[in-house]
Amino acid sequence: MCRQLEASGISFLTVHGRTAKERTDPVRLSTIQAIVDALNSTTPVIANGSIDSLEKAYEVQEKTGVRGVMSARGILENPALFTGLAPQTPVSVLQRWIEINQKLDSHFTMFHRHLISMTEKMMPKKERK
Protein backbone atom coordinates (compact mmCIF):
# COMPACT_ATOMS: atom_id res chain seq x y z
CA MET A 1 0.00 0.00 0.00
CA CYS A 2 2.82 2.42 0.84
CA ARG A 3 4.47 1.79 -2.53
CA GLN A 4 1.14 2.45 -4.26
CA LEU A 5 0.80 5.71 -2.36
CA GLU A 6 4.33 6.64 -3.35
CA ALA A 7 3.59 5.83 -7.00
CA SER A 8 0.55 8.12 -6.84
CA GLY A 9 2.87 11.06 -6.20
CA ILE A 10 2.58 11.74 -2.48
CA SER A 11 4.92 14.37 -1.06
CA PHE A 12 5.52 12.49 2.20
CA LEU A 13 4.03 9.69 4.27
CA THR A 14 3.26 9.81 7.98
CA VAL A 15 3.19 6.45 9.73
CA HIS A 16 1.82 5.70 13.17
CA GLY A 17 3.58 2.58 14.37
CA ARG A 18 0.54 0.89 15.89
CA THR A 19 -3.16 0.38 15.27
CA ALA A 20 -5.99 2.18 17.05
CA LYS A 21 -6.58 -0.91 19.21
CA GLU A 22 -2.90 -0.85 20.25
CA ARG A 23 -3.07 2.72 21.58
CA THR A 24 -1.37 1.84 24.86
CA ASP A 25 1.09 -0.63 23.32
CA PRO A 26 4.61 0.42 22.35
CA VAL A 27 5.08 1.79 18.85
CA ARG A 28 6.51 -0.82 16.49
CA LEU A 29 9.63 0.93 15.25
CA SER A 30 10.55 -2.09 13.14
CA THR A 31 7.35 -1.62 11.12
CA ILE A 32 8.13 2.03 10.51
CA GLN A 33 11.69 1.11 9.49
CA ALA A 34 10.35 -1.53 7.06
CA ILE A 35 8.23 1.14 5.38
CA VAL A 36 11.20 3.52 5.16
CA ASP A 37 13.28 0.73 3.60
CA ALA A 38 10.53 -0.22 1.14
CA LEU A 39 10.12 3.27 -0.33
CA ASN A 40 12.42 5.29 -2.54
CA SER A 41 14.65 7.62 -0.59
CA THR A 42 12.90 10.55 -2.31
CA THR A 43 9.67 10.00 -0.35
CA PRO A 44 10.11 11.29 3.21
CA VAL A 45 8.55 9.14 5.92
CA ILE A 46 7.42 10.84 9.12
CA ALA A 47 7.05 8.77 12.31
CA ASN A 48 4.22 9.34 14.76
CA GLY A 49 3.36 7.70 18.07
CA SER A 50 4.66 8.20 21.60
CA ILE A 51 6.96 11.10 20.75
CA ASP A 52 6.97 12.72 24.17
CA SER A 53 10.47 14.22 24.37
CA LEU A 54 13.18 15.58 22.13
CA GLU A 55 15.33 12.58 23.08
CA LYS A 56 12.56 10.21 21.97
CA ALA A 57 12.30 12.08 18.66
CA TYR A 58 16.01 11.58 18.02
CA GLU A 59 15.82 7.93 19.11
CA VAL A 60 12.94 7.16 16.75
CA GLN A 61 14.72 8.90 13.86
CA GLU A 62 17.94 7.00 14.54
CA LYS A 63 16.27 3.58 14.86
CA THR A 64 13.95 3.91 11.85
CA GLY A 65 15.67 6.22 9.39
CA VAL A 66 12.62 8.49 9.11
CA ARG A 67 13.14 12.03 7.86
CA GLY A 68 10.97 13.57 10.57
CA VAL A 69 8.73 12.95 13.53
CA MET A 70 5.44 14.38 14.67
CA SER A 71 3.78 14.49 18.04
CA ALA A 72 0.18 14.84 19.14
CA ARG A 73 -0.34 14.23 22.85
CA GLY A 74 3.27 15.05 23.66
CA ILE A 75 3.16 18.49 22.07
CA LEU A 76 -0.23 19.21 23.65
CA GLU A 77 1.24 18.37 27.06
CA ASN A 78 4.38 20.43 26.45
CA PRO A 79 4.39 22.96 23.60
CA ALA A 80 8.13 23.42 24.29
CA LEU A 81 8.74 19.70 23.66
CA PHE A 82 11.02 20.06 20.65
CA THR A 83 13.19 22.73 22.29
CA GLY A 84 14.61 20.07 24.59
CA LEU A 85 14.79 22.72 27.30
CA ALA A 86 11.92 21.64 29.53
CA PRO A 87 10.59 18.19 30.48
CA GLN A 88 7.23 19.82 31.27
CA THR A 89 5.47 22.95 30.07
CA PRO A 90 7.40 26.02 31.25
CA VAL A 91 5.37 28.53 33.27
CA SER A 92 6.20 31.16 30.65
CA VAL A 93 4.37 29.07 28.05
CA LEU A 94 1.31 28.82 30.30
CA GLN A 95 1.39 32.59 30.78
CA ARG A 96 1.66 33.13 27.03
CA TRP A 97 -1.26 30.72 26.43
CA ILE A 98 -3.42 32.75 28.80
CA GLU A 99 -2.40 36.03 27.09
CA ILE A 100 -3.16 34.66 23.63
CA ASN A 101 -6.57 33.45 24.68
CA GLN A 102 -7.44 36.75 26.33
CA LYS A 103 -6.66 38.57 23.08
CA LEU A 104 -8.51 36.08 20.89
CA ASP A 105 -11.44 35.61 23.25
CA SER A 106 -11.27 31.87 22.53
CA HIS A 107 -13.99 29.43 23.45
CA PHE A 108 -13.46 28.48 27.10
CA THR A 109 -13.72 24.72 26.54
CA MET A 110 -10.85 24.75 24.01
CA PHE A 111 -8.76 27.04 26.19
CA HIS A 112 -9.38 24.91 29.29
CA ARG A 113 -8.77 21.57 27.56
CA HIS A 114 -5.33 22.71 26.36
CA LEU A 115 -4.52 24.22 29.73
CA ILE A 116 -5.36 20.89 31.40
CA SER A 117 -3.05 19.07 28.95
CA MET A 118 -0.20 21.51 29.51
CA THR A 119 -0.38 21.16 33.30
CA GLU A 120 -0.67 17.35 33.33
CA LYS A 121 2.82 16.79 34.74
CA MET A 122 2.55 19.71 37.17
CA MET A 123 -0.48 18.82 39.27
CA PRO A 124 -2.94 16.03 40.01
CA LYS A 125 -6.00 15.60 37.80
CA LYS A 126 -8.38 16.93 40.45
CA GLU A 127 -6.44 20.20 40.69
CA ARG A 128 -6.23 20.59 36.90
CA LYS A 129 -10.02 20.29 36.57
Side-chain angles (χ1 to χ4, degrees), residues 14-30:
T14 301
V15 179
H16 198 295
R18 58 183 169 221
T19 67
K21 291 179 182 178
E22 299 171 330
R23 182 179 175 139
T24 59
D25 294 346
V27 172
R28 284 188 252 133
L29 298 179
S30 59

Side-chain angles (χ1 to χ4, degrees), residues 41-60:
S41 61
T42 57
T43 303
V45 177
I46 312 299
N48 186 13
S50 297
I51 306 293
D52 57 6
S53 69
L54 183 60
E55 294 78 17
K56 182 73 174 211
Y58 284 126
E59 176 189 335
V60 169

Side-chain angles (χ1 to χ4, degrees), residues 66-79:
V66 294
R67 302 259 292 283
V69 298
M70 62 182 284
S71 176
R73 283 180 283 160
I75 205 82
L76 286 172
E77 290 174 10
N78 181 6

Side-chain angles (χ1 to χ4, degrees), residues 52-54 74-94 118:
D52 57 6
S53 69
L54 183 60
I75 205 82
L76 286 172
E77 290 174 10
N78 181 6
L81 176 77
F82 290 128
T83 67
L85 301 175
Q88 64 185 30
T89 304
V91 173
S92 62
V93 172
L94 293 170
M118 287 188 275

